[in-house]
Amino acid sequence: MSNIRTIKVPSDYLYISDVPEIIKEFNNDLPHNAVIDKQVTGVGGSHIALCNNEPYVVAVHMLRMIDNKVNQDHYKHVMKVSGDTTREQVNQYLESGGKKFLVTYDSVPKLKDFLGRRVQDFRLLVDEFHKLIQYLGSFKPTVGVKLLENQEGFKSVSYMTATPTKYEYLPTPMRELDIIEFKWENARTPNLSHSFIAKNITESALSTILDVLDNTNNEIYVFYNSKKNVVSLIKKLRSCKTDIKIEDINILFADSDVNTKFFRKHLGKGFQYGEFPNGENNKRINFISSMGYEGSDFFPN
């Protein structure tokens, strides 16, 4: 059984980097060789690994998450690693003094090979590790297994999420690590209104969107994992609000050939995917698939 430790965070602190134990005991770093249950999203867990002085490889499950990070000003020093990245590019980055990599789960073995003996200088952080568990269970088991096999050789390895898997269901390599839980005194459960919709969810979503459009100035974020129903919703919305154009709507779906072909067929050949709102490029109406559910930063106005 792993050691389990709880770090209580007083209500004055909003970010992991502010927590006294992180500053003093861990020297402004995340716990090493640990399964980290941060409990709350948006508290800057990966930010520490990407911005402190330690050489880090941070692994995430989606390429769009990497793009979301490296397009922010305070992560410009981080190198994106994907299937197209070459050994020469990695070497050039290292020679220039770079020491922060953001990599997809799939590309961890390749980056480890590129690093060679230098891998022992780098810490590995697997972020959103509940997605790794999903990969192992059904979606991409080979990717998950290869990532676990390639954790050896790094200076340390930690796994982090705000929605942890129960200990007994963790893979063996993870059960051998310490478990660190953060308990936030100021954490509150969101006040969510739930509705059971027996028939047409699109009509119900449409009425909610129209109500917000007509009675507030708020930005609208619709998390809807169905391109067919999102297209149907957009068409009905535009029939009610004829001044709304396709380019006024932010559509964040995985940039796959299947999705692109579908959206261009139904929304026009000029269709383009949107961008994660950064406070300057925001649009009032946003539709987001599961591609943006976890790990991406949104900055609504």
Side-chain angles (χ1 to χ4, degrees):
M1 181 69 178
S2 299
N3 295 320
I4 300 177
R5 177 181 174 183
T6 299
I7 297 177
K8 294 183 178 179
V9 185
S11 56
D12 317 20
Y13 303 119
L14 297 178
Y15 301 102
I16 291 180
S17 57
D18 299 330
V19 177
E21 286 90 339
I22 293 297
I23 296 171
K24 298 176 183 177
E25 182 178 344
F26 296 103
N27 194 27
N28 296 305
D29 198 6
L30 295 170
H32 307 149
N33 297 314
V35 175
I36 303 169
D37 174 8
K38 63 179 183 178
Q39 302 245 328
V40 176
T41 60
V43 292
S46 59
H47 177 83
I48 296 177
L50 293 173
C51 293
N52 66 9
N53 291 322
E54 286 284 331
Y56 255 103
V57 172
V58 178
V60 297
H61 62 289
M62 294 195 74
L63 194 57
R64 286 294 290 269
M65 285 177 61
I66 297 179
D67 292 333
N68 175 242
K69 289 288 188 187
V70 299
N71 288 330
Q72 298 176 42
D73 287 341
H74 42 278
Y75 301 123
K76 295 294 186 184
H77 61 285
V78 177
M79 181 174 182
K80 166 186 173 180
V81 178
S82 64
D84 298 329
T85 304
T86 65
R87 186 184 301 271
E88 290 71 26
Q89 289 171 327
V90 169
N91 287 335
Q92 287 174 6
Y93 174 72
L94 291 169
E95 289 168 6
S96 71
K99 56 183 179 181
K100 303 289 185 180
F101 292 97
L102 255 174
V103 58
T104 57
Y105 292 169
D106 310 55
S107 294
V108 168
K110 181 177 80 169
L111 177 57
K112 183 181 178 184
D113 176 58
F114 288 173
L115 290 172
R117 280 195 247 172
R118 295 169 296 194
V119 73
Q120 62 191 355
D121 299 324
F122 283 81
R123 301 192 187 279
L124 173 65
L125 173 67
V126 179
D127 202 9
E128 308 291 347
F129 78 75
H130 60 284
K131 299 301 296 185
L132 175 65
I133 306 301
Q134 284 185 3
Y135 279 20
L136 289 165
S138 57
F139 184 45
K140 291 183 177 180
T142 303
V143 170
V145 169
K146 285 185 177 180
L147 193 157
L148 290 170
E149 289 176 345
N150 279 275
Q151 70 172 18
E152 295 295 329
F154 284 93
K155 188 175 183 179
S156 69
V157 56
S158 292
Y159 296 82
M160 183 170 65
T161 185
T163 51
T165 303
K166 289 185 178 180
Y167 173 82
E168 56 265 34
Y169 300 127
L170 294 176
T172 300
M174 295 177 67
R175 280 188 273 129
E176 296 172 351
L177 304 175
D178 291 338
I179 296 177
I180 308 290
E181 300 175 335
F182 286 88
K183 295 286 186 181
W184 301 80
E185 286 186 359
N186 66 345
R188 298 289 182 271
T189 302
N191 183 19
L192 301 177
S193 299
H194 294 81
S195 298
F196 176 78
I197 302 170
K199 293 184 179 179
N200 196 328
I201 189 172
T202 303
E203 294 291 343
S204 180
L206 176 63
S207 65
T208 301
I209 292 170
L210 290 172
D211 179 57
V212 177
L213 281 174
D214 290 339
N215 297 297
T216 77
N217 292 318
N218 295 339
E219 292 174 11
I220 300 168
Y221 293 87
V222 183
F223 294 88
Y224 203 170
N225 199 37
S226 167
K227 58 180 179 286
K228 177 182 177 181
N229 289 336
V230 163
V231 164
S232 175
L233 187 48
I234 289 173
K235 288 182 176 180
K236 290 179 179 180
L237 175 62
R238 293 186 66 210
S239 70
C240 296
K241 297 284 186 181
T242 56
D243 58 322
I244 295 177
K245 302 175 182 178
I246 293 297
E247 52 265 32
D248 297 328
I249 301 172
N250 196 14
I251 301 174
L252 290 167
F253 271 65
D255 186 2
S256 67
D257 291 339
V258 173
N259 285 349
T260 302
K261 183 178 180 180
F262 181 86
F263 284 125
R264 287 182 177 168
K265 176 181 178 182
H266 294 281
L267 298 180
K269 293 182 179 180
F271 165 80
Q272 292 184 331
Y273 294 102
E275 298 178 345
F276 287 93
N278 62 18
E280 296 178 359
N281 65 358
N282 298 30
K283 295 183 179 180
R284 192 165 179 209
I285 304 171
N286 303 267
F287 292 96
I288 305 103
S289 74
S290 60
M291 176 275 296
Y293 285 179
E294 296 148 317
S296 298
D297 296 329
F298 288 75
F299 297 92
N301 287 321

